[in-house]
Amino acid sequence: RDNQYKDGIRRASKEVRDVVPNTQPIYDGLFEADLLDLDGTAKFNNYGYTDMTVTSIPTRVDLITSADVLCYFGDLSDVLCVLADRLEDGGDLVFTTETMKDGDYNWVMLESERYAHHPDYVKRMGEEAAGLV
């Protein structure tokens, strides 16, 4: 936890092209990656991020935040396992999900083409991924 670097991971180049030109550089490293394949990443060398301190995604980190991302996954088991594998012992994973109304399903796709998850399912998947909840 002595490391104060902030890395950003975006799913697609378009996200960076749309967001980054309108902001001040806040990351020490910015990468394009698929959350299910974090080892296959590409470093962004444009949009104000040319002199980054961090040149590759660390294998272990103490904090992962994921807001408005997991709503694009139905089954959370794989993505939570991948993220849990990147956490140092005692590390924290903080994320958001869309909460579905009561029902007998683990998740449902909404009209917005985002997934809503049952709170019990999210808790169970977190526990299975490494006792995250």
Side-chain angles (χ1 to χ4, degrees):
R1 297 193 180 221
D2 294 331
N3 187 338
Q4 299 299 312
Y5 291 120
K6 297 179 298 283
D7 301 324
I9 300 174
R10 292 293 187 162
R11 174 65 178 98
S13 301
K14 182 183 182 317
E15 292 178 349
V16 174
R17 284 192 304 272
D18 290 348
V19 174
V20 174
N22 299 315
T23 63
Q24 292 294 319
I26 59 170
Y27 300 112
D28 298 299
L30 184 62
F31 305 91
E32 178 180 3
D34 183 327
L35 283 181
L36 297 177
D37 182 22
L38 291 177
D39 292 325
T41 61
K43 178 181 170 187
F44 283 103
N45 285 317
N46 51 15
Y47 303 112
Y49 288 87
T50 55
D51 297 323
M52 292 183 280
T53 306
V54 178
T55 58
S56 63
I57 295 176
T59 55
R60 309 276 286 178
V61 297
D62 62 351
L63 174 65
I64 297 173
T65 59
S66 174
D68 198 33
V69 173
L70 299 186
C71 58
Y72 295 100
F73 292 85
D75 184 352
L76 296 178
S77 59
D78 288 343
V79 70
L80 288 179
C81 284
V82 166
L83 296 175
D85 286 345
R86 289 287 176 154
L87 286 174
E88 293 177 354
D89 292 339
D92 295 310
L93 171 58
V94 179
F95 61 90
T96 62
T97 61
E98 303 235 358
T99 304
M100 63 180 272
K101 296 179 182 175
D102 291 333
D104 295 330
Y105 304 104
N106 292 325
W107 69 84
V108 295
M109 181 177 272
L110 304 172
E111 288 182 25
S112 63
E113 298 186 2
R114 296 160 59 106
Y115 291 94
H117 299 87
H118 194 284
D120 293 340
Y121 170 74
V122 174
K123 181 178 180 182
R124 189 171 67 252
M125 291 299 97
E127 290 168 346
E128 288 178 13
L132 296 176
V133 178

